[in-house]
Amino acid sequence: TAVNLSNALLEVDAKLEEAMKAPDVSKASLLKTVKEYSEFMLERDVSDNKAIGNHGAEAILKDTGKSKVNLVTICNTGSLATAGYGTALGIARRLQELGALESISALETRPYNQGSRLTAFEIMEEGMPGGQLICDSAAAALMQTKQVDAVVVGADRVCAQGDTANKIGTYNLSIVANFHNVPVYVAAPITSLDITLESGDMIPIEERSASELIETSKAPKNVPCWNPAFDVTPAKIIRGIVTEKGVIYPDDNGKIDVKAFV
């Protein structure tokens, strides 16, 4: 969302600049321009999300060689986070449509619990098979003792080399998955690919209020906190970046070249 929201605003701004050149420009005409272009972007977002879902489902089924798969995800990347279908959760939705989803486990996503408050709700509403909520620290045990075939996550920003910023805890989950030989797929629309930043160490990481962490964990009110909103997963432990145009895979040297794909 960090990149594609700003890109969307730039698109609308460009349309407004164009509309303002009309000889009969008025407040009403400018409002009409914004409304019509916003509706266009909404339809485009749903279409792009469905394409991501299709590409991701195909990639995971091909990668695993299985007819039904078990997924793990973090944060919320479904209809509540997008215009109506979802990116990473859209992949799960497409697998469900194909009858190829065996189960999906959602991490609660501390400290703000987007997984337990939003993703768990969507899983229940969609009636996804094998849907369950697990605490963030249970992902390793799940992979050790149960069948997990793939991890699907969203992205706030993907750099030119494939390093990906996403909700805090994504890096932990990816490391655990890599240790257990579980492929990690990042679902991201083209608008979230930021080729102006070469690598993950260039991504600014927001640090949120200590109160958010304290209030949700019932910690002592005066305890010092470090509460980053995002972390960066290095490209070398990502199996593929799923976009509406296809999947960006590592080359023969294990490098992901987002710039060449764009």
Side-chain angles (χ1 to χ4, degrees):
T1 54
V3 178
N4 59 347
L5 280 177
S6 60
N7 285 342
L9 288 172
L10 288 173
E11 284 187 52
V12 173
D13 187 60
K15 283 293 177 181
L16 277 174
E17 289 288 338
E18 182 181 330
M20 288 177 69
K21 296 175 182 177
D24 57 345
V25 63
S26 65
K27 180 180 178 180
S29 68
L30 294 178
L31 288 172
K32 185 173 182 287
T33 296
V34 172
K35 179 178 180 292
E36 289 180 349
Y37 197 73
S38 297
E39 289 172 347
F40 160 74
M41 288 194 295
L42 186 149
E43 293 177 5
R44 182 183 65 186
D45 189 65
V46 173
S47 176
D48 288 348
N49 282 191
K50 288 184 176 180
I52 288 171
N54 193 53
H55 289 308
E58 287 182 358
I60 290 171
L61 292 175
K62 182 179 179 180
D63 192 5
T64 62
K66 298 181 67 175
S67 59
K68 286 194 172 187
V69 293
N70 302 276
L71 303 181
V72 174
T73 191
I74 187 171
C75 200
N76 179 254
T77 56
S79 296
L80 297 174
T82 63
Y85 193 80
T87 53
L89 203 58
I91 293 174
R93 183 170 279 116
R94 180 56 180 156
L95 286 165
Q96 181 184 15
E97 292 169 353
L98 294 171
L101 182 64
E102 185 74 32
S103 72
I104 179 167
S105 299
L107 272 62
E108 59 180 348
T109 319
R110 297 279 303 142
Y112 213 53
N113 297 320
Q114 294 96 327
S116 58
R117 293 187 300 111
L118 304 177
T119 303
F121 171 80
E122 291 202 49
I123 288 173
M124 296 296 289
E125 285 293 300
E126 291 292 327
M128 291 186 177
Q132 65 178 2
L133 177 69
I134 64 173
C135 65
D136 293 352
S137 52
L142 182 71
M143 293 179 193
Q144 183 184 56
T145 61
K146 307 288 185 181
Q147 181 66 48
V148 176
D149 299 301
V151 167
V152 289
V153 302
D156 277 78
R157 189 188 304 258
V158 179
C159 295
Q161 294 181 1
D163 298 341
T164 298
N166 195 45
K167 187 58 58 184
I168 191 72
T170 304
Y171 182 30
N172 299 47
L173 177 60
S174 300
I175 290 173
V176 167
N178 189 251
F179 179 82
H180 289 92
N181 297 312
V182 174
V184 176
Y185 284 91
V186 172
I190 295 291
T191 49
S192 289
L193 308 184
D194 187 0
I195 59 174
T196 66
L197 299 182
E198 194 65 24
S199 61
D201 56 6
M202 301 174 70
I203 299 175
I205 301 297
E206 174 192 0
E207 291 188 23
R208 296 183 64 87
S209 168
S211 63
E212 180 179 277
L213 184 55
I214 291 170
E215 290 169 6
T216 58
S217 64
K218 302 187 185 304
K221 291 185 178 181
N222 60 345
V223 65
C225 296
W226 181 56
N227 187 23
F230 309 101
D231 55 29
V232 178
T233 299
K236 63 183 177 181
I237 56 175
I238 295 172
R239 181 66 59 89
I241 298 169
V242 186
T243 77
E244 67 270 27
K245 302 298 183 183
V247 183
I248 312 173
Y249 288 107
D251 60 22
D252 293 338
N253 298 314
K255 304 292 186 181
I256 293 179
D257 191 346
V258 175
K259 192 176 294 185
F261 182 85
V262 172

